């Protein structure tokens, strides 16, 4: 018979999984209370939330939700970063904080419905976020449109130059 606190924790984990797009698993060993609060504040600004749950409860919640198995990552001192929309923003915050504090590290993740290793999870921090991608796409589209406009403008201009050259040739002869 599971204890009442474990059942409540399972419900909380399940709710966190349902309301998020994915989760990063981080080793937060050695963080002080003040450092933990700083990390949580930075994550909230990025649309993510860091929670600490029992690993075996998280395993059970992941299994119940039909999410990929990341049992290898669920060992030791783990915190779980649930992100609402963009995994890149949350990953960037985790990477920045781990470099700043020298006490955090990626352990694994579930992103885009797939289980990720620590290195794969860390790679998300090096990707451009949604806004950066949209700006890059807009720049590409703008560049193509400009190139097309230049090409379209050159057709009649080239024709005019050719007609002018023929006209000058006939006048000279």
């Amino acid at each position: 018979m599971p204890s009442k606190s474990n059942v409540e924790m399972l419900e909380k984990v399940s709710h966190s999984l349902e309301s998020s797009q994915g989760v990063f698993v981080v080793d937060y060993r050695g963080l002080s209370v003040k450092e933990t609060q700083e990390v949580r504040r930075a994550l909230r600004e990025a649309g993510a939330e860091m929670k600490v749950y029992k690993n075996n409860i998280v395993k059970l919640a992941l299994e119940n939700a039909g999410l990929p198995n990341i049992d290898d990552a669920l060992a030791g001192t783990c915190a779980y970063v649930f992100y609402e929309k963009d995994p890149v923003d949350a990953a960037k915050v985790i990477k920045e904080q781990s470099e700043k504090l020298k006490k955090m590290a990626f352990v694994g993740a579930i992103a885009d419905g797939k289980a990720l290793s620590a290195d794969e999870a860390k790679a998300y921090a090096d990707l451009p976020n949604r806004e950066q991608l949209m700006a890059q796409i807009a720049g590409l589209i703008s560049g193509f449109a400009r190139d097309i406009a230049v090409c379209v403008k050159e057709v009649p201009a080239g024709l005019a130059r050719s007609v002018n050259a023929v006209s000058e040739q006939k006048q000279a002869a």
Side-chain angles (χ1 to χ4, degrees):
M1 179 82 182
S3 71
K4 184 178 178 183
S5 64
N6 284 348
V7 171
E8 289 173 358
M9 187 181 295
L10 179 62
E11 289 173 4
K12 287 179 183 178
V13 175
S14 296
H15 176 71
S16 292
L17 288 170
E18 287 171 11
S19 62
S20 67
Q21 295 294 316
V23 61
F24 288 101
V25 183
V26 295
D27 182 348
Y28 72 104
R29 199 174 345 187
L31 287 180
S32 68
V33 172
K34 185 177 178 182
E35 291 168 336
T36 303
Q37 290 173 339
E38 184 179 323
V39 170
R40 284 187 166 142
R41 190 175 309 110
L43 285 166
R44 263 193 306 274
E45 290 172 8
E49 184 177 38
M50 184 170 85
K51 299 280 190 174
V52 177
Y53 296 119
K54 292 180 179 177
N55 293 337
N56 61 344
I57 300 289
V58 173
K59 287 178 190 179
L60 187 59
L62 290 171
E63 185 179 310
N64 290 346
L67 291 170
N69 180 328
I70 56 169
D71 289 354
D72 296 343
L74 305 180
T77 310
C78 293
Y80 303 94
V81 178
F82 299 93
Y83 58 89
E84 294 174 9
K85 295 178 185 166
D86 194 0
V88 174
D89 290 335
K92 284 183 186 295
V93 170
I94 295 167
K95 183 179 177 184
E96 289 168 6
Q97 294 295 323
S98 66
E99 289 172 353
K100 177 181 170 186
L101 302 171
K102 308 272 190 255
K103 296 179 183 175
M104 286 178 59
F106 286 94
V107 178
I110 295 176
D112 301 320
K114 297 177 185 168
L116 304 175
S117 69
D119 290 335
E120 292 169 328
K122 191 175 182 179
Y124 268 74
D126 298 327
L127 296 173
N129 64 17
R130 181 170 165 63
E131 288 77 26
Q132 291 168 330
L133 282 175
M134 297 301 266
Q136 289 173 355
I137 290 170
L140 287 171
I141 291 171
S142 172
F144 288 135
R146 184 184 64 249
D147 292 346
I148 290 170
V150 167
C151 288
V152 168
K153 179 184 147 218
E154 279 302 310
V155 170
L159 180 61
R161 282 191 298 272
S162 298
V163 168
N164 189 29
V166 169
S167 159
E168 288 175 0
Q169 245 180 2
K170 288 196 179 202
Q171 284 179 358

